[in-house]
Amino acid sequence: MDDVRGQITAAVPRLRIEFVQILSDVINDLAGAAKPVEIKLFGERLDTLEAYARRLAPDLERIAGLEDLYNGVSEPSAELLMRVQQAEADRVGLTPADVGTAVSAALLGVPAGEIRTEDRPAAVRVRAPDSVRFDPLRLRSLPVQGATARRVTPLGSLATFTRPSRAWASIARTSSR
C-alpha cells in the first residue's frame, strides 16, 4: 500500500486516496463507517473547526499505525454563484430550472451512450470544453435554449454571476441516527 500510495501521490499530487482493508473493516466496524477510527468535531463555525483539525493533525500523524489521515475539509474550489434573472428568463420562454439544466449539462455533461475500449465499456458524456467551463466570461456566452423556448439566448443575459467569499469542494460529513 505504501508503494502504491507513493506512486499515486507522485502522479496526481492533489488526489486524496485511502486504503481500507474490506474484510477486517466489515468484521471490526459493524456501524457501517468506512473508516476504522474517526474523530468528529462539531460546531457552528466551519472555519474554527477547520483550524482546530489542522492543529490536531501533527499530533495525530505521530501515532504509530495511523494511515490516510484526512481532516474532512477539501481544498477550496473555484466556484461561481449564479442567480437567474426571472424576468429575462420569462421573456424568452425559459424557467429558472431550464437555465439550471442547461448550465448543469454544459458543466457536468449529459450521458451520450458508451463505447468499448478493448474489453471494457466506457461511458461517454458530452459537455462544454474546459475553455468554456473554467472561464466565467466564456460561460456567459453559453447558448441556452429550453424545451419551449423559440430562440437561443446567451447565459449572460439570463443570469448574473458572483464569486462567494470562500467555498469548499466538499465537506466529509456523516450523520448518526
Side-chain angles (χ1 to χ4, degrees):
M1 284 189 232
D2 287 340
D3 291 343
V4 171
R5 182 181 288 109
Q7 291 172 16
I8 292 173
T9 301
V12 189
R14 293 182 60 174
L15 182 66
R16 186 182 78 82
I17 61 169
E18 177 180 295
F19 294 97
V20 177
Q21 295 177 349
I22 301 297
L23 184 57
S24 66
D25 189 52
V26 170
I27 292 170
N28 294 323
D29 184 11
L30 298 177
K35 299 165 182 68
V37 175
E38 293 183 7
I39 298 172
K40 296 181 181 184
L41 304 175
F42 297 92
E44 293 183 13
R45 295 194 44 141
L46 183 59
D47 56 343
T48 302
L49 293 173
E50 181 184 11
Y52 192 67
R54 291 191 195 287
R55 252 185 31 221
L56 286 175
D59 292 333
L60 293 172
E61 287 171 346
R62 288 194 290 268
I63 298 173
L66 183 66
E67 296 288 338
D68 300 327
L69 179 64
Y70 177 57
N71 68 9
V73 180
S74 68
E75 293 182 32
S77 65
E79 186 174 302
L80 283 176
L81 177 62
M82 180 180 82
R83 294 189 195 279
V84 176
Q85 297 173 15
Q86 182 74 49
E88 187 60 26
D90 287 345
R91 189 180 69 73
V92 296
L94 294 167
T95 66
D98 292 333
V99 177
T101 299
V103 172
S104 178
L107 297 179
L108 304 175
V110 291
E114 70 180 28
I115 59 171
R116 281 211 166 283
T117 57
E118 296 177 16
D119 62 339
R120 297 181 203 171
V124 175
R125 295 185 72 81
V126 176
R127 67 180 186 200
D130 288 350
S131 61
V132 171
R133 295 173 61 231
F134 299 116
D135 183 343
L137 293 175
R138 287 187 173 174
L139 186 60
R140 286 179 174 88
S141 66
L142 183 76
V144 177
Q145 181 175 17
T148 59
R150 292 182 212 82
R151 66 177 204 228
V152 174
T153 306
L155 178 60
S157 67
L158 299 170
T160 58
F161 299 92
T162 56
R163 291 193 189 279
S165 58
R166 189 167 182 191
W168 285 272
S170 66
I171 300 172
R173 291 188 175 162
T174 58
S175 62
S176 56
R177 295 182 188 221

